[in-house]
Amino acid sequence: MQVKGIAQVPAVDSAALAALADTFRPPRLNFAQVCLYCETRWCESASCIRTHAASLWAPCADCDGFGCCDNCLNGVVEVDRAGLVDLAERVLPRQRPAAAVFVAVA
């Protein structure tokens, strides 16, 4: 979900937030080379490139980033700065709860 127009939250260091944003930002073009913003294959639009560079993304709060819900894009959602601040204070689980663990047998 794209969120706009929410005031800045000054609680966390800007460099830390920038690193979080870079960590979770998906590619602008999906694996079929279709743009997330204008839905054009092989998009080279300066506007889309700027929008994507300025976007902030975080793991989905509903599925913890495992991508098993209908509210996210492969486990991530577009957020505002407050969403990144919430993420900085959150501990993400290593595995999806109740997920079967694959154990290789030698």
Side-chain angles (χ1 to χ4, degrees):
M1 172 187 346
Q2 196 169 15
V3 182
K4 300 200 185 288
I6 297 176
Q8 289 188 5
V9 178
V12 178
D13 180 309
S14 290
L17 290 180
L20 278 175
D22 289 342
T23 299
F24 296 111
R25 183 181 294 121
R28 184 177 60 81
L29 302 178
N30 69 14
F31 293 115
Q33 301 303 301
V34 176
C35 180
L36 291 174
Y37 299 97
C38 69
E39 298 182 343
T40 300
R41 194 175 312 276
W42 304 298
C43 167
E44 295 180 6
S45 164
S47 174
C48 291
I49 293 168
R50 276 192 311 274
T51 300
H52 185 256
S55 67
L56 304 173
W57 294 77
C60 175
D62 293 338
C63 69
D64 281 327
F66 292 101
C68 56
C69 72
D70 295 328
N71 301 323
C72 61
L73 174 67
N74 296 322
V76 294
V77 292
E78 192 170 358
V79 297
D80 59 1
R81 184 173 160 81
L84 280 182
V85 170
D86 290 345
L87 174 62
E89 298 169 354
R90 204 168 125 207
V91 176
L92 295 172
R94 268 181 83 98
Q95 291 182 312
R96 185 169 133 193
V101 178
F102 175 76
V103 178
V105 178

